[in-house]
RNA sequence: AGGCUGGUAGCUCAGGGGUAGAGCACUACCUUGACACGGUAGGGGUCAGCGGUUCAAAUCCGCUCCAGCCUACCA
């Protein structure tokens, strides 16, 4: 058999996915037991435009670990894959393509354009799906979905119509976040606040005098110069010809649309001005001075200009005080005809300059401050968002949010880690209505029709629209025009947990798999997606869509920075798969993650994971090369063998394997993937490779086939095979490869039983005895290393103990100890008789001497022993202090006191021995 | 402004009421027939600071300081 010394992932990984996929191992139907528990997850659908990034790799790895684990536990597992049509992203992609051909989507027209998008989707949309196969994801491809599939589209229409009929969807003119870059409205969540260095312009508005005259600007500069700091701050400037009030703004161009000036009703400074009006500079409009709580007395001058058509707060004030709404900035981000002629057609930023210049010229700009503030940017296009009035469709969120809050409060869905519940509550408690219409072409077209008279009919299709018209006694034969807009992409994603299972049809899948068990997702889409899915699930299915929301952390670059294309620090999963092997990357992702916490992905982590994978390969290589007769039998190996009783190492590794099995199952149950990884690492490397394989070598590596040798070979194969099963969810490829080469039951390790904890296989005595062996060997090796004795030089050792069970174990294990520590002869005695020139060591209950005539450096030896002595004395000091404290004896748990006493006695014994040794030197 | 999370070995991080662990890095030795992507043995830490609760605090509770995220209507 030819097995390479170094594991080559590339030679192995490509083989297994096609095998798994073609055999449909990942379909829930694979488990035919009708009573098997069901386990369901839906994948957060990646954008069709996307390709696999590290965030996916982490998110998908975690899901795959769970899916594979549950599948191996014998459950009927469905992990449902699919993609999202990603309205804006996809449309932009195709528009870019068109731009290269020199045409726009409008040149093509809606229908042709959509054809192009579908074409694009067919051609390029599958990239991420094949990358998911490279990662090894055990999804059921027979149930793959796309948010624009016919079935899912029906679900969207159904939900829209029902929400509308329930009064939860309405259409109206409101202030929306308009993206001049994308030429569409966007939701609050799609607005990204960025800190921007700007200016705070202080503008003086003349207050109309009681006699109707206006103060003159000419005297203002003088008045301002004469004013003290307090008067300036107060924002009220007196001149000989009358008074001015000063407003502060970061967006002077919006003043063209001002329809009021506001102050706080509690503001003593301006009480006297109640009922007065001001005249808007540059425009000449007469503005009322209104009073509103929202105005902060402390900020700026305490006066706020009110532009109801271009600011969310001002919009609210406009509604409260019945102010006119004047849109001075249009959808093209240019000044409209509602503004004075001079500014019309100017871009908003050009207009800002013009307005500032004109105010300055008029002497009304009293002050300019540098000012850093947050400005909303369009998440997709990066342009500054323009709040403006527009007719859009909205979902009324409060009535939907209430049950969603209740459900989580009642624990019907829990977050892991749980602190995300607070974030969820906080958002839902303060939720605003959701603008769902988008001025795009790619997406679910809004199922609303308009009659020539302007009536609106919401219906599943045009035929139903006519029916509904008829039902209300209207003419149903008129020409109907469907709404041009499409729905926000998240409108369809929020239905994903049930639309993918066939809803609104009452399918078997829906019955079997809803609600799903776990949703694994990143924290940035809790609001976009998770909260909305819970609302929709409750509304349309009457049940939460998932029992658990596991929030995975963010994968950062090696420096701990967010990965971003602009920074150029993105690590491509495919590149590292190629470099380190997919199993290694999966393992390092699982090992690095703690729920909800971000982590830096460092090269070293993948290197160490790759080394671990290689270690597994080589341990298996050793077994494959040396256990011929067991492997040839092709019978799955049993632990119990008539050939020979298990020896200490056997009983010990079985016990350790079981403890590990218990810990791994428990950690998986609790979503503690880093713990799973760590436990398996140490079991496999430290226990299995470093001790068990080493102890088994004389039997396994011997060319002879004796009953005893065969029994040991069977047991090593047994432990390896079980270890592979434990490792499989983390490392599907190498475990399948190796498992197939071992005697096994079944077609694939994917469907093999995941080991379960069996208390009967724990063996505390074996663990205790092995610890003694390990301690003796380690002490002997330590002596060899300290005195620089070449491995080829055999040692003599004397071990003194008065503990009968200890001497029994050491005597019984004499051969392995001699071999592992490279000792020629061990004398087990009651008291050391070795001569003065010996290196010595103490361990609980025993002491060791290695005669090293001539080789020993007494100072070095004294230093080494003193070092140990200091450590032990320190520990004993602490213990004695504790034990002499009556409160400790009285209040600490009995077993803690007992343990402390035992440990103290043990330390006293060792210290006495050490002291004697040092003196003897 | 509020909220959340973190500050533990040189680095990256586990742990979490009974005086500390891993990986990498470091030091010394070792090409021993699975593996140098390896083996053996080591060195290295007032667990951010200050108070409190407790017999006992790195761990629980306050406050402070740093770092990072999220939310918010301060024009």
């Amino acid at each position: 058999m030819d097995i390479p010394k170094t594991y080559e992932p590339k030679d192995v990984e490509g083989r297994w996915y096609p095998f798994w996929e073609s055999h449909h191992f990942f379909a829930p139907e694979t488990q035919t037991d009708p009573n098997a528990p069901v386990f369901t997850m839906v994948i957060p659908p990646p954008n069709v435009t996307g390709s696999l990034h590290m965030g996916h790799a982490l998110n998908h790895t975690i899901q795959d670990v769970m899916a594979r684990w549950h599948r191996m536990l014998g459950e009927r597992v469905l992990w449902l894959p699919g993609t999202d049509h990603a309205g804006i992203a996809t449309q932009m992609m195709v528009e870019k393509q068109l731009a290269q051909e020199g045409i726009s989507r409008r040149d093509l027209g809606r229908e042709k354009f959509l054809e192009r998008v579908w074409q694009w989707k067919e051609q390029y949309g599958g990239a991420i799906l094949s990358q998911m196969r490279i990662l090894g994801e055990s999804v059921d491809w027979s149930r793959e979905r796309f948010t624009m599939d016919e079935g899912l589209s029906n679900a969207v229409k159904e939900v829209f119509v029902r929400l509308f009929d329930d009064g939860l969807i309405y259409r109206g003119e409101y202030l929306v976040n308009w993206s001049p870059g994308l030429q569409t409205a966007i939701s609050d969540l799609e607005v990204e606040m960025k800190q921007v260095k700007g200016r705070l312009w202080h503008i003086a508005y003349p207050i109309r005098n009681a006699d109707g005259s206006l103060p003159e600007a000419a005297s203002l500069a003088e008045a301002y110069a004469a004013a003290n700091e307090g008067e300036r701050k107060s924002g009220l400037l007196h001149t000989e010809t009358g008074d001015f009030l000063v407003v502060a703004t970061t967006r002077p161009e919006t003043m063209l649309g001002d329809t009021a000036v506001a102050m706080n009703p509690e503001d003593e400074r301006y009480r006297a001005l109640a009922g007065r009006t001001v005249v808007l500079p540059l425009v000449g409009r007469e503005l009322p001075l209104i009073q509103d709580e929202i105005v902060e007395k402390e900020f700026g001058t305490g006066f706020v200009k009110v532009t109801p058509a271009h600011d969310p707060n001002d919009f609210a004030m406009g509604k409260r005080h019945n102010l006119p709404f004047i849109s001075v900035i249009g959808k093209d981000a240019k000044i409209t005809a509602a503004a004075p002629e001079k500014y019309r057609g100017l871009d908003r930023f050009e207009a800002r300059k013009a307005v500032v210049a004109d105010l300055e010229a008029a002497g009304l700009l009293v002050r300019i401050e540098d000012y850093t503030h947050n400005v909303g940017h369009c998440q997709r296009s990066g342009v500054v968002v323009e709040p403006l009035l527009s007719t859009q469709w909205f979902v009324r969120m409060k009535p939907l949010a209430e049950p969603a809050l209740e459900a989580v409060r009642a624990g019907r869905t829990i977050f892991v880690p749980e602190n995300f519940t607070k974030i969820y509550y906080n958002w839902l408690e303060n939720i605003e209505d959701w603008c769902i219409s988008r001025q795009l072409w790619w997406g679910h077209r809004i199922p609303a029709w308009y009659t020539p008279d302007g009536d609106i009919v919401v219906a599943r299709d045009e035929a139903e629209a006519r029916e509904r018209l008829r039902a209300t006694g209207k003419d149903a034969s008129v020409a109907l025009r469907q709404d041009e807009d499409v729905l926000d992409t998240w409108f369809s994603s929020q239905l994903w947990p049930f639309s993918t299972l066939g809803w609104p049809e009452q399918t078997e899948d829906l019955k079997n798999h809803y609600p799903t068990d776990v949703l694994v997702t990143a924290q940035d889409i809790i609001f976009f997606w998770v909260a909305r899915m819970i609302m929709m699930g409750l509304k349309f299915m009457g049940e939460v869509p998932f029992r658990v929301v596991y929030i995975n952390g963010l994968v950062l670059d090696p420096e701990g920075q967010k990965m971003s294309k602009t920074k150029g620090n993105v690590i491509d999963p495919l590149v590292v798969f190629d470099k380190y092997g997919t199993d290694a990357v999966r393992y390092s992702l699982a090992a690095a993650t703690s729920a909800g916490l971000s982590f830096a992905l460092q090269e070293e982590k993948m290197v160490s994971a790759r080394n671990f994978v290689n270690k597994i390969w080589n341990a298996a290589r050793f077994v494959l090369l040396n256990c011929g007769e067991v492997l040839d039998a092709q019978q799955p190996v049993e632990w119990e063998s008539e050939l020979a009783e298990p020896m200490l190492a056997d009983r010990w590794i079985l016990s350790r394997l079981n403890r590990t099995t218990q810990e791994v199952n428990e950690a998986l149950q609790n979503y503690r993937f880093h713990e799973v990884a760590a436990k398996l690492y140490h079991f496999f490397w430290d226990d299995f490779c470093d001790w068990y394989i080493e102890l088994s070598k004389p039997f396994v590596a011997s060319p002879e086939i004796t009953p005893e040798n065969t029994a040991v070979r069977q047991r090593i194969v047994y432990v390896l095979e079980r270890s592979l099963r434990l490792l499989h969810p983390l490392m599907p490829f190498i475990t399948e490869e190796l498992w197939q080469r071992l005697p096994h039951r079944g077609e694939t390790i994917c469907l093999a039983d995941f080991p379960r904890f069996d208390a009967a296989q724990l063996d505390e005595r074996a663990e205790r005895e092995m610890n003694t062996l390990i301690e003796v060997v380690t002490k002997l090796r330590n002596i060899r290393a300290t005195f620089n004795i070449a491995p080829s030089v055999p040692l003599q050792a004397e071990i003194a103990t008065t503990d009968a069970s200890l001497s029994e174990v050491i005597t019984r294990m004499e051969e392995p100890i001699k071999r592992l520590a490279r000792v020629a002869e061990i004398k087990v005695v009651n008291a050391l008789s070795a001569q003065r020139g010996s290196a010595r060591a103490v361990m609980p209950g025993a002491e060791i001497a290695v005669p090293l005539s001539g080789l020993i450096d007494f100072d070095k030896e004294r230093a080494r022993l003193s070092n140990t002595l200091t450590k032990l004395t320190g520990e004993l000091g602490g213990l004695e202090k504790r034990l002499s404290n009556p409160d400790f004896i009285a209040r600490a748990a009995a077993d803690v006191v007992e343990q402390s006493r035992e440990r103290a006695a043990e330390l006293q014994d060792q210290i006495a021995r050490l002291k004697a040794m040092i003196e003897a030197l």
Side-chain angles (χ1 to χ4, degrees):
Chain A
M1 204 182 306
D2 190 31
I3 306 167
K5 280 190 174 188
T6 303
Y7 174 59
E8 291 296 340
K10 269 171 253 170
D11 297 345
V12 168
E13 288 172 359
R15 249 206 316 281
W16 294 110
Y17 205 90
F19 169 70
W20 297 331
E21 189 175 355
S22 61
H23 285 74
H24 309 290
F25 293 142
F26 304 145
E29 290 77 18
T30 303
Q31 175 51 266
T32 49
D33 176 0
N35 298 318
V38 175
F39 181 81
T40 309
M41 292 184 294
V42 289
I43 211 163
N47 290 354
V48 269
T49 53
S51 57
L52 197 77
H53 58 63
M54 269 301 164
H56 295 125
L58 171 65
N59 175 261
H60 292 196
T61 295
I62 290 168
Q63 290 177 72
D64 196 40
V65 169
M66 286 202 279
R68 286 177 183 272
W69 176 52
H70 282 279
R71 196 176 292 115
M72 290 175 79
L73 287 175
E75 297 174 21
R76 204 153 10 127
V77 173
L78 169 60
W79 182 21
L80 187 144
T83 45
D84 191 289
H85 67 279
I88 295 172
T90 313
Q91 176 160 328
M92 275 171 70
M93 201 76 97
V94 178
E95 283 190 86
K96 227 187 262 172
Q97 211 180 43
L98 288 178
Q100 280 172 356
E101 298 165 29
I103 46 175
S104 78
R105 70 177 152 113
R106 290 182 207 284
D107 298 336
L108 275 183
R110 186 169 192 136
E111 216 166 296
K112 281 261 166 7
F113 177 74
L114 289 178
E115 270 172 36
R116 279 292 294 258
V117 184
W118 278 106
Q119 228 175 59
W120 182 92
K121 189 245 168 194
E122 294 314 318
Q123 202 172 344
Y124 304 106
I128 198 160
L129 301 173
S130 51
Q131 292 164 340
M132 284 165 61
R133 291 174 166 90
I134 295 174
L135 184 61
E137 300 182 31
S138 62
V139 295
D140 179 8
W141 291 109
S142 74
R143 285 174 170 84
E144 184 194 334
R145 297 287 185 269
F146 177 55
T147 48
M148 295 251 289
D149 281 349
E150 197 188 339
L152 276 71
S153 300
N154 287 338
V156 166
K157 287 177 209 153
E158 186 68 27
V159 163
F160 189 97
V161 171
R162 285 209 214 165
L163 288 176
F164 180 83
D165 289 348
D166 288 349
L168 293 172
I169 283 185
Y170 61 91
R171 183 173 181 266
E173 189 179 49
Y174 291 87
L175 198 69
V176 297
N177 305 297
W178 183 263
S179 167
L182 301 173
Q183 286 295 304
T184 175
I186 57 178
S187 74
D188 292 346
L189 288 174
E190 289 162 304
V191 178
E192 203 180 338
M193 298 309 268
K194 284 189 196 163
Q195 232 181 41
V196 167
K197 276 187 190 154
R199 296 260 167 86
L200 200 52
W201 281 275
H202 291 69
I203 309 169
Y205 286 14
I207 305 172
R208 189 172 292 283
N209 289 320
D211 64 4
S213 68
L214 281 173
E216 289 164 20
S219 50
L220 186 60
E222 213 174 294
Y224 187 78
N228 61 35
E229 195 54 31
E231 287 164 338
R232 287 178 185 176
K233 277 232 172 90
S234 87
L236 198 52
L237 296 169
H238 307 286
T239 73
E240 284 168 15
T241 56
D243 298 343
F244 291 81
L245 61 78
V246 178
V247 297
T249 180
T250 54
R251 300 195 58 196
E253 70 280 11
T254 62
M255 70 168 291
L256 302 172
D258 281 6
T259 57
V261 170
M263 60 176 270
N264 190 295
E266 306 291 310
D267 201 331
E268 313 288 340
R269 299 171 293 177
Y270 311 132
R271 274 265 159 85
L273 294 175
R276 304 282 288 275
T277 62
V278 302
V279 173
L280 185 60
L282 311 185
V283 179
R285 186 159 46 239
E286 191 99 6
L287 309 179
L289 178 61
I290 60 170
Q291 303 193 340
D292 199 291
E293 312 270 340
I294 203 170
V295 182
E296 303 263 341
K297 286 185 283 185
E298 314 306 324
F299 187 88
T301 60
F303 286 119
V304 184
K305 59 188 273 308
V306 184
T307 321
H310 294 287
D311 181 279
N313 289 325
D314 296 4
F315 177 79
M317 274 195 271
K319 287 275 173 198
R320 279 198 289 273
H321 299 274
N322 249 326
L323 302 173
F325 291 72
I326 302 177
S327 296
V328 290
I329 302 174
K331 291 180 172 171
D332 52 3
K334 288 182 177 154
I335 304 299
T336 66
E341 193 161 355
K342 143 156 223 220
Y343 305 104
R344 284 177 204 164
L346 286 181
D347 173 79
R348 51 187 168 159
F349 297 112
E350 293 297 316
R352 178 175 302 174
K353 285 183 202 156
V355 165
V356 167
D358 290 348
L359 287 169
E360 183 126 52
L364 294 169
L365 196 57
V366 295
R367 182 150 61 138
I368 305 171
E369 282 172 25
D370 285 335
Y371 187 65
T372 304
H373 62 133
N374 292 323
V375 177
H377 290 69
C378 171
Q379 206 181 48
R380 281 274 160 207
S381 66
V383 205
V384 174
V385 164
E386 187 58 50
L388 48 78
L389 285 176
S390 154
T391 302
Q392 304 285 348
W393 291 90
F394 296 85
V395 178
R396 217 180 290 286
M397 297 306 279
K398 286 227 153 55
L400 291 164
E402 216 29 71
L405 275 166
E406 270 317 304
V408 174
R409 285 199 191 109
R412 285 156 73 191
T413 294
I414 60 162
F415 283 82
V416 177
E418 62 183 356
N419 52 291
F420 285 97
T421 18
K422 268 190 206 163
I423 296 175
Y424 171 86
Y425 290 154
N426 192 22
W427 189 67
L428 284 181
E429 280 161 3
N430 301 297
I431 197 161
E432 301 282 336
D433 285 356
W434 173 21
C435 173
I436 50 171
S437 41
R438 296 288 180 277
Q439 288 65 54
L440 303 172
W441 286 350
W442 175 242
H444 300 278
R445 196 159 169 184
I446 290 173
W449 281 264
Y450 302 89
T451 69
D453 295 343
D455 285 329
I456 303 170
V457 201
V458 167
R460 288 161 186 82
D461 53 37
E462 193 176 326
E464 193 192 29
R466 293 188 187 282
E467 246 169 68
R468 286 190 163 203
L469 270 180
R470 201 171 300 121
T472 52
K474 299 219 166 102
D475 181 1
S477 63
V478 293
L480 287 180
R481 184 175 54 82
Q482 188 176 359
D483 198 297
E484 294 289 324
D485 292 350
V486 300
L487 289 163
D488 182 359
T489 300
W490 296 102
F491 194 90
S492 54
S493 335
Q494 67 178 346
L495 314 178
W496 189 252
F498 51 91
S499 64
T500 52
L501 295 171
W503 191 89
E505 307 300 322
Q506 293 304 311
T507 60
E508 276 297 297
D509 269 7
L510 194 62
K511 211 162 63 191
N512 291 333
H513 295 287
Y514 192 95
T516 69
D517 292 271
V518 186
L519 179 82
V520 181
T521 190
Q523 51 186 288
D524 54 337
I525 55 173
I526 293 180
F527 307 140
F528 276 110
W529 195 46
V530 179
R532 288 168 179 166
M533 279 193 287
I534 295 177
M535 292 187 249
M536 290 299 123
L538 289 166
K539 171 84 182 160
F540 293 100
M541 295 296 298
E543 183 52 283
V544 290
F546 23 73
R547 300 292 178 203
V548 174
V549 179
Y550 176 92
I551 304 293
N552 64 252
L554 207 63
V555 190
L556 306 171
D557 82 350
E559 266 71 54
Q561 302 288 309
K562 253 188 191 175
M563 290 189 195
S564 77
K565 277 182 204 153
T566 46
K567 275 191 235 161
N569 60 347
V570 174
I571 298 175
D572 183 348
L574 298 171
V575 171
V576 290
F577 289 168
D578 196 54
K579 191 163 170 194
Y580 300 103
T582 307
D583 287 326
V585 179
R586 287 174 57 117
Y587 177 86
S588 40
L589 287 172
T593 182
S594 206
L597 293 181
S598 310
F599 64 93
L601 184 68
Q602 275 142 345
E603 207 90 347
E604 301 93 82
K605 285 176 186 157
M606 291 182 282
V607 169
S608 109
R610 183 257 272 144
N611 294 352
F612 181 38
V613 172
N614 192 55
K615 188 75 183 179
I616 295 167
W617 178 258
N618 272 291
R621 180 171 184 265
F622 172 76
V623 171
L624 291 170
L625 291 173
N626 291 294
C627 300
E629 84 273 22
V630 177
L631 302 172
D632 291 344
Q634 285 299 325
Q635 288 296 312
V637 180
E638 298 300 328
W639 181 258
E640 295 303 334
S641 165
E642 314 94 54
L643 301 172
E645 284 296 305
M647 295 178 286
L648 171 58
D650 299 325
R651 289 188 284 115
W652 171 77
I653 198 69
L654 185 67
S655 185
R656 290 290 310 131
L657 175 65
N658 248 268
R659 219 177 269 288
T660 306
T661 299
Q662 178 188 30
E663 289 165 344
V664 165
N665 275 299
E666 217 172 273
L668 284 166
Q669 190 66 60
N670 295 313
Y671 310 97
R672 300 168 67 88
F673 302 104
H674 60 279
E675 210 169 293
V676 175
K679 296 287 180 196
L680 287 169
Y681 185 96
H682 290 296
F683 169 73
F684 197 88
W685 202 312
D686 302 346
D687 296 341
F688 183 60
C689 292
D690 289 351
W691 290 102
Y692 188 66
I693 290 186
E694 290 307 324
L695 285 164
S696 305
K697 269 183 182 169
F699 306 95
V700 173
S702 154
E704 277 176 69
I705 297 178
T706 66
E708 195 183 33
N709 287 350
T710 301
V712 175
R713 285 174 194 148
Q714 284 175 342
R715 292 194 175 108
I716 204 168
V717 168
Y718 176 93
V719 175
L720 176 63
E721 192 269 340
R722 294 210 149 205
S723 305
L724 292 174
R725 282 192 260 151
L726 288 171
L727 286 160
H728 179 256
L730 292 172
M731 308 181 172
F733 297 106
I734 189 175
T735 51
E736 179 77 287
E737 173 72 23
L738 293 173
W739 189 81
Q740 294 284 351
R741 298 189 191 203
L742 297 175
H744 60 263
R745 197 172 281 122
E747 265 185 292
T748 171
I749 193 172
C750 303
L751 299 175
D753 291 335
F754 198 80
R756 288 178 202 253
F757 174 58
D758 174 8
Q761 293 187 331
L762 290 182
D763 189 334
E764 294 200 16
R765 188 172 153 216
E767 294 196 29
R768 215 171 38 242
E769 292 182 353
M770 260 304 279
N771 286 345
T772 299
L773 179 141
I774 289 170
E775 187 122 26
V776 170
V777 170
T778 306
K779 295 285 180 199
L780 289 167
R781 284 169 173 170
N782 177 282
I783 289 171
R784 181 188 291 279
T786 308
F787 297 101
N788 249 324
I789 301 160
S792 51
V793 177
L795 300 176
Q796 303 285 318
E798 197 174 72
I799 303 173
T801 178
T802 50
D803 182 331
S805 62
L806 218 53
S807 69
E808 187 276 323
V809 175
I810 297 168
T811 311
R812 170 155 44 93
M813 299 307 288
E814 191 180 324
E815 280 312 311
I817 293 171
K818 276 153 81 174
R819 196 168 46 78
L820 294 178
R822 295 175 168 267
V823 173
E825 197 190 344
I826 297 178
K827 275 190 229 160
V828 183
V829 295
N830 285 327
L832 290 185
S833 65
Q835 68 276 31
R836 194 163 162 268
S838 297
R840 291 157 196 257
V842 288
M843 55 179 276
E847 55 195 293
I848 298 171
V850 176
L852 292 171
S853 50
L855 287 170
I856 207 159
D857 174 337
F858 288 97
D859 287 340
K860 205 175 185 181
E861 177 66 346
R862 206 171 284 119
R864 192 176 65 97
L865 294 174
S866 303
N867 201 12
T868 316
L869 182 64
T870 313
K871 254 186 218 162
L872 296 184
T873 314
E875 196 187 336
L876 181 63
L879 278 173
E880 279 176 340
K881 191 176 148 206
R882 188 191 296 168
L883 285 164
S884 64
N885 179 351
D887 285 333
F888 173 70
I889 308 295
R891 302 197 186 197
D895 59 322
V896 172
V897 177
E898 190 46 38
Q899 269 170 33
S900 304
R901 285 210 172 104
E902 279 171 23
R903 180 70 185 146
E906 196 178 280
L907 286 169
Q908 273 161 354
D909 174 61
Q910 289 193 52
I911 287 167
R913 288 164 189 272
L914 266 173
K915 280 186 177 158
M917 282 179 186
I918 293 169
E919 257 166 54
L921 276 169

